[in-house]
Amino acid sequence: MRTTDVESMDAMRLHARGQTLTLDKVARPTPQANQVLLQVLACGVCRTDLHLLDGELPGIRYPITPGHEIVGRVVERGGEVVGLDIGTRVGVPWLAQTCGMCRYCHAGLENLCERACFTGYTIDGGYAQFATADARYCLALPARYSDVEVAPLLCAGLIGYRAYRAGGDAANLGLYGFGAAAHLLAQVARAEGRRIFAFTRAGDVETQRFARTLGAVWAGGSDEAPPEELDAAIIFAAVGALVPAALQAIRKGGRVVCAGIHMSDIPAFPYDLLWGERCVCSVANLTRADGRRFMEIANKLDLRPSVETFDLSAASVALDRLRRGQLTGAAVLDLRSS
Ligand SMILES: [Zn+2]
Ligand SMILES: [Zn+2]
């Protein structure tokens, strides 16, 4: 396909809260001065996409194309783009743009920028044949990974890694929700000599088995108590009731890190669970430095993403399987033949 001749493209778009995505024929976007136009090769499917579908994120403007784990090839460049040649493979993560001027940007916390734009949420994402992205926020990708393998590193991996660091120097680490992020983090943790305790939906023996194959010393339901006290826990599942459950499982001075963008309400719990300098925090978005650092780590440790691929037109099937907890590892849209 001579991509430069194509003026329209297929995109899976969301038109209203709670609807399913529709396959639309839309105009191919034109890159602005700082943007590149990418032919999308693969795009990861993330839990955040479900929150977008369900209208659980504020200020969604419809129609919107989801997808913030984009692996694409540069096919066109805006006039001010430097350093990204035509044909280069790049990754586009959740953080699409920041203002560079607010107190958070000045403090090196661009993940908290007051006026940030987010891929596949405030601007169109990668559930499409083409996407535009600000070249300054694109990430170089390790060559050792195929297009579909590298996609889940772009959110599950790198925001997961931000949560992992927020958990501190934990020897015994609990992971609540063992999906795209946890299966990558478990590999990092194991390489660093930590012990992983994997919590899944009650009765999900298949995912528990998967966690053990990745080196978890224990795997069980999130309604179970781990056999040992944990030093920290990361909650990837969007279930607020896991916060008191995780607090109950950690030692004094331990941390519970909430890694998702949305969670159901956290039920009331006795102060005893927080007492003893236990701490609950959240992790929001990513910085470009996070992205660069995690890609280096993934390259060095040779992380093995476990992916299940879907055609672009089957995005809703992938999202539905994610919602039902029927995936092993990460779902990725494979657009290489489209
Ligand atoms: Zn994500
Ligand atoms: Zn800012």
Side-chain angles (χ1 to χ4, degrees):
M1 185 172 66
R2 289 185 58 202
T3 51
T4 47
D5 291 342
V6 178
E7 286 174 0
S8 68
M9 66 171 188
D10 292 339
M12 290 296 286
R13 297 200 299 171
L14 179 68
H15 288 266
R17 176 185 181 150
Q19 289 193 354
T20 48
L21 302 176
T22 56
L23 182 61
D24 296 343
K25 194 64 92 174
V26 298
R28 195 182 72 177
T30 306
Q32 305 298 306
N34 282 311
Q35 289 182 323
V36 284
L37 176 69
L38 301 171
Q39 181 189 356
V40 179
L41 303 169
C43 185
V45 174
C46 175
R47 171 84 226 181
T48 296
D49 303 341
L50 287 178
H51 298 310
L52 185 83
L53 252 67
D54 295 344
E56 289 166 336
L57 308 181
I60 302 168
R61 286 193 302 197
Y62 303 99
I64 180 74
T65 304
H68 56 269
E69 294 179 304
I70 306 174
V71 180
R73 196 168 295 288
V74 177
V75 293
E76 216 178 301
R77 294 150 37 105
E80 290 170 25
V81 171
V82 284
L84 282 186
D85 294 334
I86 301 288
T88 309
R89 184 179 80 155
V90 294
V92 182
W94 171 245
L95 187 74
Q97 219 169 44
T98 55
C99 75
M101 298 191 304
C102 71
R103 61 188 291 193
Y104 299 104
C105 282
H106 277 305
L109 298 167
E110 65 180 1
N111 60 307
L112 302 179
C113 172
E114 308 265 25
R115 288 175 287 276
C117 295
F118 299 103
T119 312
Y121 168 28
T122 62
I123 62 169
D124 283 330
Y127 285 24
Q129 288 177 302
F130 294 87
T132 48
D134 189 316
R136 297 165 298 181
Y137 293 78
C138 291
L139 293 169
L141 299 174
R144 70 161 74 225
Y145 293 107
S146 73
D147 301 328
V148 294
E149 276 178 332
V150 80
L153 301 183
L154 284 160
C155 178
L158 72 84
I159 298 186
Y161 187 68
R162 190 175 173 89
Y164 176 81
R165 282 191 295 132
D169 196 14
N172 280 1
L173 179 64
L175 300 176
Y176 286 78
F178 202 87
H183 96 280
L184 294 168
L185 267 296
Q187 296 174 53
V188 177
R190 195 182 178 195
E192 293 183 351
R194 302 176 197 234
R195 301 170 77 235
I196 290 293
F197 296 75
F199 297 83
T200 70
R201 296 178 201 213
D204 186 355
V205 289
E206 200 179 322
T207 304
Q208 290 164 16
R209 198 176 305 128
F210 177 52
R212 285 191 207 96
T213 65
L214 290 173
V217 296
W218 178 88
S222 57
D223 55 341
E224 296 176 47
E228 294 173 37
E229 212 168 37
L230 305 178
D231 299 301
I234 305 174
I235 302 178
F236 292 109
V239 180
L242 292 176
V243 172
L247 277 169
Q248 196 132 34
I250 62 169
R251 63 163 170 81
K252 285 187 282 189
R255 288 184 201 176
V256 173
V257 182
C258 303
I261 193 169
H262 175 83
M263 204 179 229
S264 57
D265 285 353
I266 300 169
F269 56 86
Y271 179 60
D272 272 1
L273 292 185
L274 191 63
W275 171 249
E277 300 192 349
R278 291 176 181 86
C279 170
V280 179
C281 68
S282 68
V283 153
N285 313 317
L286 69 139
T287 65
R288 283 171 281 182
D290 285 338
R292 288 190 289 268
R293 184 169 171 191
F294 182 70
M295 289 305 158
E296 273 170 34
I297 286 164
N299 194 35
K300 194 176 82 189
L301 298 181
D302 193 16
L303 300 184
R304 297 290 164 153
S306 181
V307 299
E308 242 174 284
T309 58
F310 298 83
D311 290 340
L312 174 64
S313 59
S316 295
V317 178
L319 286 161
D320 194 53
R321 294 201 40 204
L322 174 60
R323 191 188 293 282
R324 292 167 192 272
Q326 292 171 341
L327 294 162
T328 303
V332 175
L333 305 181
D334 183 354
L335 287 101
R336 288 172 295 185
S337 61
S338 70

